[in-house]
Amino acid sequence: MRPARLWKHPLTALGVIGTALTLALTAAPTAPAAPVPEPRAAAAAVTHEAENATVSRGLVESDHTGYTGTGFVNYDNVSGGYVQWTVNAAQAGRATLTLRYANGTTANRPMDLSVNGTLAADERAFNGTGSWTSWSTVTVAADLRAGANTIRATATTANGGPNVDHLAVDTAPASAGTPVAVNGQLKVCGTKLCNQYGKPVQLRGMSTHGLQWYSQCVTTGSLGALATDWNADVLRISMYIQEGGYETDPRGFTDKVHSIIEQATARGMYAIVDWHMLSPGDPNHNLARARTFFTEIAQRHRSKNNLLFEIANEPSGVSWSTIKNYAEQLVPVIRQNDPDTPVLVGTRAWSSLGVSEGSNESEVVNNPVDAANIMYTFHFYAASHRDEYLNTLSRAADKLPVFVTEFGTQDYAGEGANDFAMSQRYLDLMASKKISWVNWNYSDDHRSGAVFKTGTCADNGPWTGTTSLKPAGVWVRDRIRTPDDFPTG
Protein backbone atom coordinates (compact mmCIF):
# COMPACT_ATOMS: atom_id res chain seq x y z
CA MET A 1 0.00 0.00 0.00
CA ARG A 2 1.28 3.44 -0.85
CA PRO A 3 1.96 6.11 1.78
CA ALA A 4 -0.84 8.39 2.95
CA ARG A 5 -1.68 11.15 0.49
CA LEU A 6 -0.13 13.76 2.78
CA TRP A 7 1.85 15.16 -0.09
CA LYS A 8 -1.14 17.29 -0.98
CA HIS A 9 -1.21 20.83 0.28
CA PRO A 10 0.43 21.12 3.72
CA LEU A 11 -2.04 22.49 6.23
CA THR A 12 0.23 25.41 7.04
CA ALA A 13 0.10 26.52 3.42
CA LEU A 14 -3.68 26.60 3.44
CA GLY A 15 -4.13 29.19 6.14
CA VAL A 16 -6.73 26.95 7.75
CA ILE A 17 -4.92 25.65 10.82
CA GLY A 18 -7.53 24.74 13.40
CA THR A 19 -10.34 25.91 11.18
CA ALA A 20 -10.28 22.82 9.00
CA LEU A 21 -10.78 20.66 12.08
CA THR A 22 -13.95 22.46 13.07
CA LEU A 23 -15.64 22.84 9.71
CA ALA A 24 -19.30 21.96 9.80
CA LEU A 25 -19.45 19.49 6.93
CA THR A 26 -23.00 19.36 5.64
CA ALA A 27 -24.67 17.07 3.17
CA ALA A 28 -25.82 18.59 -0.07
CA PRO A 29 -29.50 19.46 -0.20
CA THR A 30 -31.67 17.23 -2.29
CA ALA A 31 -31.58 18.57 -5.81
CA PRO A 32 -34.33 18.17 -8.38
CA ALA A 33 -33.87 15.07 -10.43
CA ALA A 34 -31.94 15.93 -13.56
CA PRO A 35 -32.71 14.21 -16.83
CA VAL A 36 -30.27 11.40 -17.45
CA PRO A 37 -29.39 10.45 -21.01
CA GLU A 38 -29.54 6.93 -22.25
CA PRO A 39 -26.17 5.24 -21.69
CA ARG A 40 -23.91 5.36 -24.70
CA ALA A 41 -23.86 2.09 -26.55
CA ALA A 42 -21.07 -0.20 -25.45
CA ALA A 43 -18.82 -1.57 -28.15
CA ALA A 44 -18.98 -5.26 -29.03
CA ALA A 45 -15.66 -7.02 -29.61
CA VAL A 46 -15.11 -10.24 -31.58
CA THR A 47 -12.59 -12.70 -30.12
CA HIS A 48 -10.13 -14.51 -32.40
CA GLU A 49 -8.30 -17.34 -30.64
CA ALA A 50 -4.55 -17.63 -31.15
CA GLU A 51 -4.71 -21.42 -31.51
CA ASN A 52 -6.84 -20.97 -34.64
CA ALA A 53 -4.47 -18.44 -36.25
CA THR A 54 -1.41 -18.90 -38.44
CA VAL A 55 1.62 -19.52 -36.22
CA SER A 56 5.27 -19.21 -37.17
CA ARG A 57 7.98 -20.26 -34.69
CA GLY A 58 5.61 -21.12 -31.92
CA LEU A 59 3.46 -23.95 -30.56
CA VAL A 60 -0.17 -24.28 -29.51
CA GLU A 61 -0.23 -25.43 -25.89
CA SER A 62 -2.69 -25.73 -23.01
CA ASP A 63 -0.54 -26.45 -19.96
CA HIS A 64 -1.19 -23.11 -18.19
CA THR A 65 -4.70 -22.43 -16.92
CA GLY A 66 -6.78 -19.32 -17.44
CA TYR A 67 -6.83 -19.19 -21.24
CA THR A 68 -9.93 -18.87 -23.37
CA GLY A 69 -10.80 -21.26 -26.18
CA THR A 70 -8.80 -24.50 -26.34
CA GLY A 71 -5.29 -23.19 -25.74
CA PHE A 72 -2.74 -20.48 -26.39
CA VAL A 73 0.40 -19.90 -28.50
CA ASN A 74 3.81 -20.26 -26.87
CA TYR A 75 6.34 -18.37 -29.00
CA ASP A 76 9.75 -19.92 -29.59
CA ASN A 77 12.63 -18.07 -27.95
CA VAL A 78 13.70 -16.35 -31.17
CA SER A 79 13.09 -13.04 -32.85
CA GLY A 80 10.63 -13.08 -35.75
CA GLY A 81 8.09 -15.60 -34.51
CA TYR A 82 4.53 -14.46 -35.07
CA VAL A 83 0.82 -15.16 -34.73
CA GLN A 84 -1.30 -13.94 -37.63
CA TRP A 85 -5.07 -13.62 -37.76
CA THR A 86 -7.41 -12.89 -40.65
CA VAL A 87 -10.12 -10.52 -39.50
CA ASN A 88 -13.12 -9.48 -41.57
CA ALA A 89 -14.56 -5.99 -41.17
CA ALA A 90 -17.99 -5.03 -42.48
CA GLN A 91 -16.72 -1.55 -43.33
CA ALA A 92 -13.51 0.43 -43.31
CA GLY A 93 -12.73 2.36 -40.14
CA ARG A 94 -10.93 2.59 -36.82
CA ALA A 95 -10.80 -0.55 -34.69
CA THR A 96 -9.54 -1.40 -31.22
CA LEU A 97 -7.22 -4.42 -31.07
CA THR A 98 -6.74 -6.10 -27.68
CA LEU A 99 -4.23 -8.93 -27.22
CA ARG A 100 -4.61 -11.15 -24.16
CA TYR A 101 -1.31 -12.59 -23.01
CA ALA A 102 0.72 -14.03 -20.14
CA ASN A 103 4.40 -13.47 -19.41
CA GLY A 104 5.71 -15.44 -16.46
CA THR A 105 9.15 -13.83 -16.62
CA THR A 106 10.24 -10.45 -15.28
CA ALA A 107 11.54 -9.36 -18.70
CA ASN A 108 9.53 -7.37 -21.22
CA ARG A 109 8.85 -9.41 -24.38
CA PRO A 110 8.07 -6.70 -26.94
CA MET A 111 6.24 -7.33 -30.21
CA ASP A 112 5.48 -5.41 -33.38
CA LEU A 113 1.79 -5.28 -34.24
CA SER A 114 0.98 -4.81 -37.91
CA VAL A 115 -2.24 -4.53 -39.90
CA ASN A 116 -2.16 -5.43 -43.57
CA GLY A 117 1.61 -5.12 -43.51
CA THR A 118 1.61 -1.63 -41.95
CA LEU A 119 3.09 -1.19 -38.49
CA ALA A 120 0.41 -0.24 -35.95
CA ALA A 121 2.60 -0.53 -32.83
CA ASP A 122 6.39 -0.57 -32.82
CA GLU A 123 7.91 -2.92 -30.23
CA ARG A 124 4.91 -2.63 -27.95
CA ALA A 125 5.82 -3.80 -24.45
CA PHE A 126 4.41 -7.06 -23.11
CA ASN A 127 5.63 -6.85 -19.54
CA GLY A 128 5.74 -9.63 -16.97
CA THR A 129 2.36 -10.63 -15.54
CA GLY A 130 3.67 -12.43 -12.45
CA SER A 131 3.13 -15.98 -13.66
CA TRP A 132 2.20 -17.94 -16.77
CA THR A 133 -1.34 -18.33 -15.40
CA SER A 134 -1.83 -14.58 -14.86
CA TRP A 135 -3.28 -13.00 -17.98
CA SER A 136 -3.24 -9.35 -18.99
CA THR A 137 -4.07 -7.28 -22.08
CA VAL A 138 -2.41 -4.79 -24.40
CA THR A 139 -4.61 -2.53 -26.53
CA VAL A 140 -3.85 -0.55 -29.68
CA ALA A 141 -5.99 1.25 -32.24
CA ALA A 142 -5.61 0.70 -35.97
CA ASP A 143 -7.42 1.32 -39.24
CA LEU A 144 -9.07 -1.69 -40.92
CA ARG A 145 -10.24 -1.88 -44.49
CA ALA A 146 -13.58 -3.32 -45.54
CA GLY A 147 -13.35 -7.07 -45.96
CA ALA A 148 -10.38 -9.26 -44.98
CA ASN A 149 -7.53 -7.83 -42.87
CA THR A 150 -4.29 -9.48 -41.79
CA ILE A 151 -3.23 -8.72 -38.21
CA ARG A 152 0.17 -9.99 -37.07
CA ALA A 153 1.96 -9.95 -33.68
CA THR A 154 5.71 -10.48 -34.21
CA ALA A 155 8.33 -11.06 -31.50
CA THR A 156 11.23 -8.61 -31.77
CA THR A 157 13.83 -10.03 -29.36
CA ALA A 158 15.66 -13.32 -28.87
CA ASN A 159 13.38 -14.10 -25.92
CA GLY A 160 10.45 -14.46 -28.29
CA GLY A 161 6.96 -13.22 -27.51
CA PRO A 162 4.72 -13.82 -24.51
CA ASN A 163 2.11 -16.58 -24.47
CA VAL A 164 -0.76 -15.19 -26.55
CA ASP A 165 -4.30 -16.27 -25.76
CA HIS A 166 -6.45 -14.35 -28.20
CA LEU A 167 -7.02 -11.16 -30.17
CA ALA A 168 -10.22 -9.20 -29.53
CA VAL A 169 -11.22 -6.85 -32.34
CA ASP A 170 -13.76 -4.11 -31.78
CA THR A 171 -14.91 -2.77 -35.14
CA ALA A 172 -18.05 -1.08 -33.83
CA PRO A 173 -18.00 2.57 -34.88
CA ALA A 174 -18.06 5.15 -32.11
CA SER A 175 -21.53 6.39 -31.31
CA ALA A 176 -22.39 9.65 -32.99
CA GLY A 177 -23.20 10.97 -29.54
CA THR A 178 -19.78 10.51 -27.94
CA PRO A 179 -18.03 13.67 -26.75
CA VAL A 180 -15.25 13.40 -29.34
CA ALA A 181 -17.64 12.62 -32.20
CA VAL A 182 -19.66 15.73 -31.38
CA ASN A 183 -16.87 18.18 -30.51
CA GLY A 184 -13.86 16.99 -32.52
CA GLN A 185 -10.54 18.77 -32.05
CA LEU A 186 -10.59 21.13 -29.07
CA LYS A 187 -8.79 24.46 -28.99
CA VAL A 188 -8.49 27.40 -26.64
CA CYS A 189 -10.45 30.45 -27.76
CA GLY A 190 -10.11 33.44 -25.48
CA THR A 191 -10.74 32.24 -21.94
CA LYS A 192 -12.69 29.14 -22.96
CA LEU A 193 -12.12 25.62 -24.24
CA CYS A 194 -13.89 25.41 -27.58
CA ASN A 195 -14.95 22.61 -29.90
CA GLN A 196 -14.52 22.21 -33.65
CA TYR A 197 -17.35 24.71 -34.21
CA GLY A 198 -15.62 27.38 -32.13
CA LYS A 199 -18.21 27.05 -29.35
CA PRO A 200 -17.25 26.97 -25.63
CA VAL A 201 -17.71 23.56 -24.02
CA GLN A 202 -17.42 22.08 -20.56
CA LEU A 203 -15.94 18.59 -20.18
CA ARG A 204 -16.67 16.52 -17.05
CA GLY A 205 -14.92 13.32 -16.06
CA MET A 206 -12.62 11.35 -13.78
CA SER A 207 -8.93 10.96 -13.06
CA THR A 208 -7.25 7.63 -12.55
CA HIS A 209 -5.18 7.18 -9.42
CA GLY A 210 -1.44 6.69 -9.86
CA LEU A 211 -0.86 3.97 -12.44
CA GLN A 212 1.94 2.47 -10.34
CA TRP A 213 -0.56 1.72 -7.57
CA TYR A 214 -3.98 1.32 -9.15
CA SER A 215 -3.61 0.24 -12.78
CA GLN A 216 -5.87 -2.72 -11.86
CA CYS A 217 -8.70 -0.17 -11.68
CA VAL A 218 -8.12 0.88 -15.31
CA THR A 219 -9.54 -2.04 -17.28
CA THR A 220 -11.68 -2.68 -20.32
CA GLY A 221 -14.66 -3.07 -18.01
CA SER A 222 -14.05 -0.01 -15.84
CA LEU A 223 -13.37 2.27 -18.81
CA GLY A 224 -16.42 0.92 -20.58
CA ALA A 225 -18.49 1.82 -17.52
CA LEU A 226 -16.96 5.28 -17.33
CA ALA A 227 -17.91 5.95 -20.95
CA THR A 228 -21.31 4.26 -21.17
CA ASP A 229 -22.70 4.21 -17.60
CA TRP A 230 -21.18 7.38 -16.17
CA ASN A 231 -21.31 9.10 -19.60
CA ALA A 232 -17.98 10.78 -18.88
CA ASP A 233 -16.50 13.17 -21.41
CA VAL A 234 -12.88 12.95 -20.31
CA LEU A 235 -10.42 10.61 -18.59
CA ARG A 236 -7.30 11.98 -16.89
CA ILE A 237 -4.44 9.46 -17.08
CA SER A 238 -2.43 10.10 -13.92
CA MET A 239 1.17 8.98 -14.38
CA TYR A 240 3.35 9.82 -11.39
CA ILE A 241 6.98 10.62 -12.11
CA GLN A 242 8.47 9.87 -8.70
CA GLU A 243 6.95 7.73 -5.90
CA GLY A 244 7.50 4.50 -7.80
CA GLY A 245 6.27 5.93 -11.09
CA TYR A 246 7.77 6.86 -14.46
CA GLU A 247 11.38 7.32 -13.33
CA THR A 248 11.52 3.65 -12.22
CA ASP A 249 10.44 2.27 -15.62
CA PRO A 250 10.07 4.89 -18.37
CA ARG A 251 9.34 2.34 -21.08
CA GLY A 252 6.75 0.44 -19.09
CA PHE A 253 4.85 3.51 -17.89
CA THR A 254 4.92 5.15 -21.31
CA ASP A 255 3.40 2.01 -22.78
CA LYS A 256 0.70 2.00 -20.09
CA VAL A 257 -0.22 5.52 -21.10
CA HIS A 258 -0.25 4.58 -24.80
CA SER A 259 -2.63 1.72 -24.05
CA ILE A 260 -5.04 3.81 -21.98
CA ILE A 261 -5.07 6.56 -24.60
CA GLU A 262 -6.15 3.99 -27.17
CA GLN A 263 -8.92 2.70 -24.91
CA ALA A 264 -10.24 6.19 -24.23
CA THR A 265 -10.10 6.95 -27.95
CA ALA A 266 -12.04 3.82 -28.82
CA ARG A 267 -14.79 4.93 -26.44
CA GLY A 268 -15.08 8.46 -27.79
CA MET A 269 -13.69 10.12 -24.64
CA TYR A 270 -11.10 12.86 -24.37
CA ALA A 271 -7.89 11.90 -22.55
CA ILE A 272 -5.70 14.17 -20.43
CA VAL A 273 -2.13 12.89 -20.31
CA ASP A 274 -1.15 13.94 -16.79
CA TRP A 275 2.59 14.38 -16.08
CA HIS A 276 1.99 13.93 -12.36
CA MET A 277 5.04 15.63 -10.89
CA LEU A 278 4.55 16.26 -7.21
CA SER A 279 7.68 15.87 -5.12
CA PRO A 280 10.03 17.60 -5.72
CA GLY A 281 7.78 20.53 -6.45
CA ASP A 282 10.01 22.17 -9.06
CA PRO A 283 8.90 20.87 -12.48
CA ASN A 284 12.36 21.63 -13.89
CA HIS A 285 13.68 18.66 -11.89
CA ASN A 286 11.93 16.44 -14.46
CA LEU A 287 12.34 18.60 -17.57
CA ALA A 288 14.58 16.13 -19.43
CA ARG A 289 12.22 13.26 -18.64
CA ALA A 290 9.23 15.35 -19.73
CA ARG A 291 10.88 16.15 -23.05
CA THR A 292 11.47 12.47 -23.74
CA PHE A 293 7.99 11.41 -22.70
CA PHE A 294 5.95 14.10 -24.44
CA THR A 295 8.02 13.79 -27.62
CA GLU A 296 6.99 10.15 -27.94
CA ILE A 297 3.38 10.74 -26.91
CA ALA A 298 3.00 13.66 -29.32
CA GLN A 299 4.63 11.78 -32.20
CA ARG A 300 2.55 8.63 -31.81
CA HIS A 301 -0.81 10.27 -31.22
CA ARG A 302 -0.51 13.43 -33.30
CA SER A 303 -3.31 12.29 -35.63
CA LYS A 304 -5.80 11.99 -32.75
CA ASN A 305 -8.23 14.78 -31.92
CA ASN A 306 -9.09 13.77 -28.35
CA LEU A 307 -5.99 14.60 -26.30
CA LEU A 308 -4.92 17.28 -23.83
CA PHE A 309 -1.42 17.42 -22.32
CA GLU A 310 -1.09 18.36 -18.63
CA ILE A 311 2.62 19.09 -18.32
CA ALA A 312 3.02 19.79 -14.58
CA ASN A 313 0.51 18.42 -12.08
CA GLU A 314 1.13 20.41 -8.89
CA PRO A 315 4.21 22.64 -8.70
CA SER A 316 5.05 23.80 -5.18
CA GLY A 317 7.74 25.73 -3.38
CA VAL A 318 8.81 27.60 -6.52
CA SER A 319 7.89 30.92 -8.08
CA TRP A 320 5.46 31.37 -10.95
CA SER A 321 8.35 32.57 -13.12
CA THR A 322 10.08 29.22 -12.57
CA ILE A 323 6.98 27.31 -13.65
CA LYS A 324 6.52 29.64 -16.62
CA ASN A 325 10.11 29.05 -17.71
CA TYR A 326 9.53 25.26 -17.57
CA ALA A 327 6.41 25.55 -19.71
CA GLU A 328 8.13 27.76 -22.26
CA GLN A 329 10.86 25.14 -22.67
CA LEU A 330 8.52 22.15 -22.92
CA VAL A 331 5.65 23.47 -25.04
CA PRO A 332 7.87 23.99 -28.13
CA VAL A 333 9.03 20.36 -27.84
CA ILE A 334 5.40 19.26 -28.00
CA ARG A 335 4.54 21.66 -30.82
CA GLN A 336 7.33 20.26 -33.02
CA ASN A 337 5.38 17.01 -33.11
CA ASP A 338 1.79 18.05 -32.41
CA PRO A 339 0.68 21.57 -33.34
CA ASP A 340 -2.96 21.20 -32.26
CA THR A 341 -3.38 19.53 -28.86
CA PRO A 342 -4.20 21.96 -26.02
CA VAL A 343 -1.55 22.11 -23.30
CA LEU A 344 -2.51 22.49 -19.62
CA VAL A 345 0.02 24.30 -17.42
CA GLY A 346 0.14 23.77 -13.66
CA THR A 347 0.07 26.85 -11.44
CA ARG A 348 1.92 27.78 -8.27
CA ALA A 349 1.20 26.23 -4.85
CA TRP A 350 -0.20 22.84 -5.87
CA SER A 351 -2.11 24.33 -8.81
CA SER A 352 -4.06 26.71 -6.61
CA LEU A 353 -3.16 29.76 -8.76
CA GLY A 354 -0.84 30.65 -5.89
CA VAL A 355 -3.47 30.86 -3.13
CA SER A 356 -1.97 28.11 -0.97
CA GLU A 357 1.27 30.09 -0.79
CA GLY A 358 -0.30 33.49 -0.17
CA SER A 359 -0.66 34.71 -3.77
CA ASN A 360 -3.48 34.78 -6.31
CA GLU A 361 -4.23 34.64 -10.03
CA SER A 362 -2.74 38.08 -10.74
CA GLU A 363 0.77 36.67 -11.09
CA VAL A 364 -0.38 34.57 -14.06
CA VAL A 365 -2.62 37.28 -15.50
CA ASN A 366 0.27 39.74 -15.46
CA ASN A 367 2.89 37.28 -16.74
CA PRO A 368 1.26 34.58 -18.88
CA VAL A 369 3.10 31.76 -20.59
CA ASP A 370 4.35 32.82 -24.04
CA ALA A 371 2.53 30.11 -25.99
CA ALA A 372 -0.75 29.64 -27.82
CA ASN A 373 -3.52 27.09 -27.22
CA ILE A 374 -2.77 26.66 -23.52
CA MET A 375 -4.84 26.64 -20.33
CA TYR A 376 -3.93 26.96 -16.66
CA THR A 377 -4.90 24.35 -14.08
CA PHE A 378 -6.64 24.82 -10.75
CA HIS A 379 -7.13 22.14 -8.06
CA PHE A 380 -9.42 22.26 -5.03
CA TYR A 381 -10.62 20.00 -2.23
CA ALA A 382 -13.91 21.38 -1.01
CA ALA A 383 -13.67 20.58 2.70
CA SER A 384 -10.34 22.45 2.95
CA HIS A 385 -10.48 25.05 0.20
CA ARG A 386 -13.21 27.52 1.03
CA ASP A 387 -14.36 30.86 -0.28
CA GLU A 388 -10.91 32.35 -0.90
CA TYR A 389 -10.22 29.55 -3.38
CA LEU A 390 -13.69 29.66 -4.91
CA ASN A 391 -13.47 33.41 -5.43
CA THR A 392 -9.99 33.10 -6.96
CA LEU A 393 -11.28 30.54 -9.46
CA SER A 394 -14.18 32.80 -10.35
CA ARG A 395 -11.96 35.86 -10.96
CA ALA A 396 -9.33 33.87 -12.82
CA ALA A 397 -11.83 32.31 -15.23
CA ASP A 398 -12.84 35.79 -16.39
CA LYS A 399 -9.25 36.57 -17.43
CA LEU A 400 -7.56 33.23 -18.12
CA PRO A 401 -8.46 29.91 -19.76
CA VAL A 402 -8.73 27.61 -16.71
CA PHE A 403 -9.24 23.83 -16.49
CA VAL A 404 -9.90 22.17 -13.10
CA THR A 405 -7.95 18.97 -13.68
CA GLU A 406 -8.36 17.70 -10.11
CA PHE A 407 -10.87 18.22 -7.31
CA GLY A 408 -12.32 16.32 -4.40
CA THR A 409 -15.29 16.64 -2.10
CA GLN A 410 -13.12 15.94 0.97
CA ASP A 411 -10.08 17.57 2.57
CA TYR A 412 -6.81 18.35 0.81
CA ALA A 413 -5.55 14.78 1.37
CA GLY A 414 -8.63 13.23 -0.28
CA GLU A 415 -9.74 12.01 3.12
CA GLY A 416 -12.39 12.69 5.73
CA ALA A 417 -16.03 13.63 5.45
CA ASN A 418 -17.48 14.83 2.17
CA ASP A 419 -18.56 18.46 1.96
CA PHE A 420 -21.09 18.12 -0.82
CA ALA A 421 -22.59 21.57 -0.19
CA MET A 422 -19.29 23.38 -0.82
CA SER A 423 -18.54 21.05 -3.72
CA GLN A 424 -21.84 21.95 -5.33
CA ARG A 425 -21.01 25.65 -5.07
CA TYR A 426 -17.85 24.97 -7.07
CA LEU A 427 -19.75 22.88 -9.64
CA ASP A 428 -22.39 25.59 -10.05
CA LEU A 429 -19.68 28.18 -10.68
CA MET A 430 -17.89 25.94 -13.17
CA ALA A 431 -21.12 25.22 -15.03
CA SER A 432 -21.95 28.92 -15.27
CA LYS A 433 -18.50 29.76 -16.68
CA LYS A 434 -18.00 26.56 -18.69
CA ILE A 435 -14.93 25.49 -16.72
CA SER A 436 -14.12 21.85 -17.45
CA TRP A 437 -13.44 19.59 -14.49
CA VAL A 438 -12.07 16.19 -13.49
CA ASN A 439 -12.70 14.47 -10.15
CA TRP A 440 -10.04 12.64 -8.10
CA ASN A 441 -10.16 9.59 -8.31
CA TYR A 442 -11.36 6.51 -10.21
CA SER A 443 -9.96 3.81 -7.92
CA ASP A 444 -10.74 1.74 -4.82
CA ASP A 445 -8.18 3.38 -2.53
CA HIS A 446 -9.35 3.22 1.10
CA ARG A 447 -9.73 7.02 1.34
CA SER A 448 -13.12 8.65 0.97
CA GLY A 449 -12.01 10.39 -2.23
CA ALA A 450 -11.71 7.13 -4.19
CA VAL A 451 -15.06 6.43 -5.84
CA PHE A 452 -15.08 2.62 -5.53
CA LYS A 453 -15.35 0.59 -2.34
CA THR A 454 -12.13 -1.13 -1.31
CA GLY A 455 -11.73 -4.45 -3.13
CA THR A 456 -13.79 -3.53 -6.19
CA CYS A 457 -10.79 -3.47 -8.53
CA ALA A 458 -9.39 -6.77 -7.28
CA ASP A 459 -12.82 -8.33 -7.85
CA ASN A 460 -13.02 -6.76 -11.33
CA GLY A 461 -16.18 -4.83 -10.49
CA PRO A 462 -19.08 -4.58 -10.68
CA TRP A 463 -18.29 -1.33 -12.48
CA THR A 464 -21.74 -0.09 -13.45
CA GLY A 465 -24.48 1.23 -11.19
CA THR A 466 -23.90 2.38 -7.62
CA THR A 467 -23.55 -0.80 -5.54
CA SER A 468 -19.72 -0.63 -5.64
CA LEU A 469 -19.52 3.12 -5.06
CA LYS A 470 -18.69 5.10 -1.92
CA PRO A 471 -20.82 8.19 -1.19
CA ALA A 472 -18.42 10.43 -3.12
CA GLY A 473 -18.68 8.08 -6.09
CA VAL A 474 -22.46 8.16 -6.08
CA TRP A 475 -22.45 11.96 -5.85
CA VAL A 476 -19.94 12.64 -8.63
CA ARG A 477 -21.37 9.96 -10.96
CA ASP A 478 -24.78 11.65 -10.71
CA ARG A 479 -23.21 14.93 -11.78
CA ILE A 480 -21.13 13.54 -14.62
CA ARG A 481 -23.93 11.59 -16.23
CA THR A 482 -26.41 14.46 -16.59
CA PRO A 483 -26.78 15.62 -20.21
CA ASP A 484 -23.94 17.55 -21.78
CA ASP A 485 -24.48 20.93 -23.37
CA PHE A 486 -22.29 20.81 -26.46
CA PRO A 487 -23.32 23.55 -28.94
CA THR A 488 -22.70 22.65 -32.59
CA GLY A 489 -24.20 25.55 -34.48
Side-chain angles (χ1 to χ4, degrees), residues 73-409:
V73 171
N74 180 356
Y75 282 69
D76 293 344
N77 292 337
V78 295
S79 177
Y82 65 80
V83 177
Q84 179 175 295
W85 296 267
T86 299
V87 173
N88 288 303
Q91 60 187 16
R94 199 74 166 164
T96 302
L97 313 178
T98 302
L99 272 78
R100 188 169 189 259
Y101 77 98
N103 179 2
T105 74
T106 58
N108 169 30
R109 295 194 169 198
M111 295 201 293
D112 285 346
L113 304 177
S114 62
V115 177
N116 300 321
T118 299
L119 197 63
D122 181 16
E123 292 194 296
R124 179 57 57 88
F126 286 77
N127 292 310
T129 58
S131 75
W132 293 109
T133 58
S134 296
W135 300 85
S136 186
T137 59
V138 165
T139 301
V140 301
D143 292 318
L144 301 187
R145 61 195 179 199
N149 295 265
T150 299
I151 300 174
R152 179 181 290 190
T154 305
T156 60
T157 70
N159 289 329
N163 288 352
V164 172
D165 182 26
H166 67 235
L167 168 71
V169 181
D170 177 7
T171 57
S175 166
T178 66
V180 177
V182 173
N183 294 297
Q185 178 67 58
L186 302 175
K187 62 181 178 181
V188 179
C189 53
T191 61
K192 305 298 182 186
L193 183 64
C194 295
N195 63 13
Q196 61 184 331
Y197 304 102
K199 303 295 183 181
V201 296
Q202 182 194 40
L203 304 182
R204 298 170 297 168
M206 293 298 302
S207 175
T208 71
H209 206 317
L211 299 181
Q212 76 275 40
W213 297 311
Y214 290 97
S215 60
Q216 69 273 21
C217 299
V218 188
T219 68
T220 298
S222 71
L223 294 181
L226 187 63
T228 64
D229 181 56
W230 291 54
N231 290 340
D233 307 317
V234 58
L235 170 71
R236 182 184 188 231
I237 304 167
S238 182
M239 185 191 68
Y240 282 66
I241 316 309
Q242 278 71 48
E243 301 183 78
Y246 175 87
E247 70 174 1
T248 68
D249 182 10
R251 181 72 268 145
F253 280 101
T254 302
D255 286 335
K256 281 182 184 290
V257 173
H258 284 315
S259 178
I260 299 170
I261 288 172
E262 299 295 357
Q263 294 188 64
T265 302
R267 290 164 174 79
M269 289 191 292
Y270 288 95
I272 298 173
V273 179
D274 167 29
W275 184 251
H276 206 88
M277 52 72 52
L278 189 68
S279 179
D282 184 353
N284 292 287
H285 178 80
N286 290 304
L287 178 58
R289 296 184 180 97
R291 283 174 168 152
T292 298
F293 173 78
F294 279 108
T295 294
E296 179 172 332
I297 293 294
Q299 286 176 342
R300 183 172 297 188
H301 302 287
R302 64 185 301 167
S303 64
K304 291 182 172 62
N305 63 351
N306 66 316
L307 297 187
L308 302 101
F309 297 145
E310 184 174 0
I311 61 173
N313 165 58
E314 290 189 347
S316 64
V318 294
S319 66
W320 166 244
S321 62
T322 298
I323 302 166
K324 176 177 180 288
N325 178 64
Y326 164 83
E328 289 176 352
Q329 293 184 75
L330 186 56
V331 171
V333 174
I334 294 172
R335 291 290 176 243
Q336 288 176 4
N337 299 286
D338 183 341
D340 299 321
T341 293
V343 173
L344 312 179
V345 180
T347 58
R348 186 153 75 92
W350 300 276
S351 285
S352 69
L353 286 165
V355 181
S356 289
E357 290 176 352
S359 187
N360 58 45
E361 78 285 356
S362 62
E363 62 185 19
V364 181
V365 173
N366 295 331
N367 190 21
V369 172
D370 184 14
N373 204 24
I374 66 167
M375 306 186 79
Y376 301 93
T377 66
F378 184 81
H379 295 177
F380 69 86
Y381 284 80
S384 294
H385 300 147
R386 314 301 291 178
D387 288 84
E388 181 182 8
Y389 290 80
L390 180 68
N391 294 336
T392 298
L393 175 61
S394 180
R395 293 192 308 269
D398 293 335
K399 300 176 182 178
L400 298 167
V402 179
F403 198 125
V404 174
T405 55
E406 186 177 315
F407 86 89
T409 57

Side-chain angles (χ1 to χ4, degrees), residues 38-56:
E38 290 295 320
R40 299 178 188 130
V46 177
T47 298
H48 302 266
E49 297 292 344
E51 63 269 23
N52 298 328
T54 300
V55 179
S56 174

Side-chain angles (χ1 to χ4, degrees), residues 55-73:
V55 179
S56 174
R57 298 185 181 182
L59 296 173
V60 174
E61 297 180 347
S62 58
D63 55 332
H64 299 303
T65 61
Y67 55 82
T68 60
T70 60
F72 56 86
V73 171

